[in-house]
Amino acid sequence: MTTHNILDKMASDAKLSKKETAKQQKIVEAAIAIFAEKGYSNTSTSEIARKSGVAEGTIFRHYGTKENLLLSVIVPFLKQSMPTLAQELSHEVNPQNNLHFEDFIRAFIRNRYNFLRENRDIFRVVIKELLYRDELRKDLFPYILKEMVAFFDIAIDHYKARGELGDLPNQKLFRMFLSVIGSHLVTRFFLSSDDLGKEEEEEQIEDLVRFLTNGVS
Amino acid sequence: MTTHNILDKMASDAKLSKKETAKQQKIVEAAIAIFAEKGYSNTSTSEIARKSGVAEGTIFRHYGTKENLLLSVIVPFLKQSMPTLAQELSHEVNPQNNLHFEDFIRAFIRNRYNFLRENRDIFRVVIKELLYRDELRKDLFPYILKEMVAFFDIAIDHYKARGELGDLPNQKLFRMFLSVIGSHLVTRFFLSSDDLGKEEEEEQIEDLVRFLTNGVS
DNA sequence: ATAAAAAGTGAGTGGTCACTTTTATTTTAT
DNA sequence: ATAAAATAAAAGTGACCACTCACTTTTTAT
């Protein structure tokens, strides 16, 4: 099987194909928690070993290097991230369903909210490490953007045809959506520690939706 | 002299009051460059000593700890950051000058562009460390936000009175402005390495201005 | 049942780290 | 000019790091 994208390539480099043992799960679990809290550089392998109840040697038997353990955390998260998005939002970009652009934006934000709520710690690890690793970012960003653009293009064209979006270039619209929603998600799940109430969260989502639908009309 | 805000407090904690020697300037200069590139944790004091042409002991004579050296980089940057903003934008919030909200936004973005262009490396250091240091962030964010809100409130009220802004709560307007502009600046000066041409930069600024003035009208 | 393979262990190992102490040089005061 | 004080350089120091290795235990295959 050939590797078609950078994530597959990284996954195979990191030999992630084999299924995990119970101890491996413990190791990854502990690594995510400690990396998320203190960052990769400030986390020692001995600490991960202690927290996961495993000998330090076991970590290196399975992952070879500390770096490789990090990739074993990040890569599956990113691989999972894209498909669920496209799949769960197929309803909103289907011409059969008479939905408004507003509904698409709302569904998109809700989807990312739920995804990040369930993967909060890994999200923190990824954000931190993407900032520190220029190489990783340079490889990953264009790939992720391409996937996103491909998906958004369909939606944008769809809603343009319905006359619900101005005739700004898709790229500009895309960039605005992403920066507004992205910065909101980062501040929501990364910077602010306290949990929001359900209704406060709904209100913030509606503010975003209103802002985005006005900002480009 | 009493300490009125957290930055003064941090500065006095770090004993930043005394004027710098030539070697200290060299040390701080080298530290900024290497911290920006590799991050604080991945930078050794011996490397800073080598790059600044100084013995390692000299660093510790002046700064005591590596942590303290970091503060000597971050704090002056933050202290400088606010006053220049308020001062350079006083023109745009003066009722005497018959300016539009659009002009205010444009001036604000331009101001931050110029500021960050001149302090790119320090900006990178600050962003990275704010992500890693929950404590620092928790102390600093509310203070910076308070300063910003105080400033923005004047502007928002001013342009509301002129009927150029809808009657959304100031806080919501403020949050939207800041997240849109902030995420743009982070991607511009932190994530993207290549330099933009002057006209491309102007176009991006105009896109932002247009988006923000539409988004809240 | 038994041999082979895989998983797990924990005491090292060399090297680097932030920081200290000692020694040398420069600056200042008289 | 010279002693005292400030500054810089150089040579440590112990703690900790990622990683290895010889070995034991568990799982799998026949």
Side-chain angles (χ1 to χ4, degrees):
Chain A
M1 177 191 146
T2 47
T3 57
H4 290 295
N5 64 47
I6 192 173
L7 289 180
D8 284 339
K9 189 175 170 304
M10 290 174 70
S12 63
D13 284 356
K15 296 187 212 108
L16 299 176
S17 40
K18 291 170 186 172
K19 58 188 76 144
E20 295 183 310
T21 69
K23 299 236 170 189
Q24 271 177 288
Q25 281 176 17
K26 285 281 205 181
I27 291 167
V28 168
E29 210 173 283
I32 289 173
I34 308 180
F35 285 164
E37 191 201 331
K38 314 203 305 179
Y40 174 81
S41 291
N42 304 316
T43 302
S44 69
T45 47
S46 70
E47 195 178 352
I48 297 171
R50 202 182 324 124
K51 174 146 187 166
S52 54
V54 149
E56 205 174 341
T58 308
I59 295 175
F60 289 93
R61 165 151 313 272
H62 286 298
Y63 300 99
T65 64
K66 189 188 166 191
E67 177 91 16
N68 218 340
L69 172 58
L70 175 68
L71 290 180
S72 302
V73 167
I74 290 181
V75 172
F77 171 76
L78 293 175
K79 285 196 76 165
Q80 189 195 346
S81 169
M82 288 306 146
T84 57
L85 174 66
Q87 170 188 322
E88 289 183 27
L89 262 72
S90 61
H91 180 256
E92 275 73 14
V93 291
N94 187 341
Q96 303 271 319
N97 308 297
N98 227 23
L99 293 171
H100 293 282
F101 175 67
E102 192 188 311
D103 300 311
F104 168 75
I105 287 292
R106 189 180 290 108
F108 177 79
I109 296 171
R110 284 239 169 82
N111 173 276
R112 295 295 87 179
Y113 251 84
N114 293 333
F115 182 71
L116 292 182
R117 212 202 320 274
E118 283 165 22
N119 298 278
R120 195 178 188 134
D121 274 352
I122 305 185
F123 181 57
R124 290 185 187 200
V125 176
V126 170
I127 294 284
K128 278 179 180 162
E129 287 314 309
L130 279 184
L131 291 181
Y132 268 87
R133 291 156 189 277
D134 294 10
E135 206 50 47
L136 190 67
R137 198 172 64 231
K138 221 168 53 191
D139 288 347
L140 232 45
F141 257 48
Y143 170 73
I144 290 180
L145 274 184
K146 214 189 78 203
E147 296 266 311
M148 291 274 261
V149 166
F151 175 74
F152 260 76
D153 257 348
I154 296 170
I156 290 176
D157 286 340
H158 172 62
Y159 289 107
K160 269 185 178 171
R162 292 174 53 106
E164 299 200 18
L165 279 174
D167 59 353
L168 281 162
N170 281 15
Q171 191 220 357
K172 283 186 182 180
L173 288 169
F174 173 71
R175 191 188 296 164
M176 286 299 169
F177 294 153
L178 219 62
S179 78
V180 171
I181 296 170
S183 66
H184 179 81
L185 291 174
V186 168
T187 52
R188 171 73 181 78
F189 287 105
F190 190 92
L191 299 180
S192 75
S193 47
D194 46 295
D195 278 272
L196 260 57
K198 190 67 190 167
E199 56 191 70
E200 205 174 346
E201 185 172 304
E202 287 296 319
E203 189 193 336
Q204 287 200 4
I205 292 179
E206 286 311 310
D207 284 345
L208 272 179
V209 170
R210 204 174 313 125
F211 180 68
L212 284 172
T213 48
N214 280 341
V216 292
S217 62
Chain B
M1 176 191 144
T2 46
T3 58
H4 289 295
N5 65 48
I6 191 172
L7 289 181
D8 284 340
K9 191 176 168 302
M10 291 174 71
S12 63
D13 284 356
K15 295 185 213 107
L16 299 177
S17 40
K18 290 173 187 171
K19 58 189 78 145
E20 295 183 309
T21 69
K23 300 238 170 189
Q24 271 177 288
Q25 280 176 18
K26 284 281 205 180
I27 291 168
V28 167
E29 212 172 281
I32 289 173
I34 310 179
F35 286 164
E37 190 201 332
K38 314 204 305 181
Y40 174 80
S41 291
N42 304 315
T43 302
S44 68
T45 48
S46 69
E47 195 179 352
I48 297 171
R50 202 182 324 123
K51 175 145 186 166
S52 54
V54 150
E56 203 175 341
T58 307
I59 295 175
F60 288 93
R61 166 151 314 270
H62 285 300
Y63 300 98
T65 64
K66 188 187 167 191
E67 178 91 14
N68 218 339
L69 172 58
L70 175 68
L71 290 181
S72 301
V73 167
I74 290 182
V75 171
F77 171 76
L78 293 175
K79 286 195 76 166
Q80 189 195 345
S81 169
M82 288 307 146
T84 58
L85 173 66
Q87 169 188 323
E88 289 183 26
L89 262 71
S90 62
H91 181 256
E92 275 73 14
V93 292
N94 187 341
Q96 303 271 319
N97 308 297
N98 227 24
L99 294 170
H100 293 281
F101 175 67
E102 191 187 311
D103 300 313
F104 169 75
I105 288 292
R106 188 180 292 109
F108 177 78
I109 296 173
R110 285 242 169 79
N111 172 276
R112 294 294 89 180
Y113 251 83
N114 293 335
F115 183 71
L116 292 182
R117 212 201 321 274
E118 283 165 22
N119 299 278
R120 196 180 188 132
D121 274 352
I122 304 185
F123 181 57
R124 290 184 187 200
V125 176
V126 171
I127 293 284
K128 279 179 180 162
E129 287 314 308
L130 280 183
L131 292 180
Y132 269 88
R133 291 155 188 278
D134 293 11
E135 205 50 46
L136 190 67
R137 199 173 62 230
K138 220 168 54 192
D139 289 347
L140 230 46
F141 257 49
Y143 170 72
I144 290 178
L145 274 183
K146 214 189 80 204
E147 296 267 310
M148 290 275 260
V149 166
F151 175 73
F152 260 76
D153 257 347
I154 296 170
I156 290 176
D157 286 340
H158 173 61
Y159 289 107
K160 269 184 177 170
R162 293 174 55 103
E164 299 199 20
L165 280 174
D167 59 353
L168 282 162
N170 281 15
Q171 192 219 355
K172 284 187 183 181
L173 288 169
F174 173 71
R175 192 189 294 164
M176 286 298 168
F177 294 153
L178 219 62
S179 79
V180 171
I181 295 171
S183 66
H184 179 80
L185 291 173
V186 168
T187 53
R188 170 73 180 80
F189 287 107
F190 191 91
L191 298 180
S192 75
S193 47
D194 47 293
D195 277 272
L196 259 58
K198 191 66 191 167
E199 57 190 73
E200 205 175 345
E201 185 172 302
E202 286 296 319
E203 190 192 336
Q204 288 199 4
I205 293 178
E206 285 312 309
D207 283 345
L208 273 178
V209 170
R210 204 175 312 124
F211 180 68
L212 284 172
T213 47
N214 279 341
V216 292
S217 64

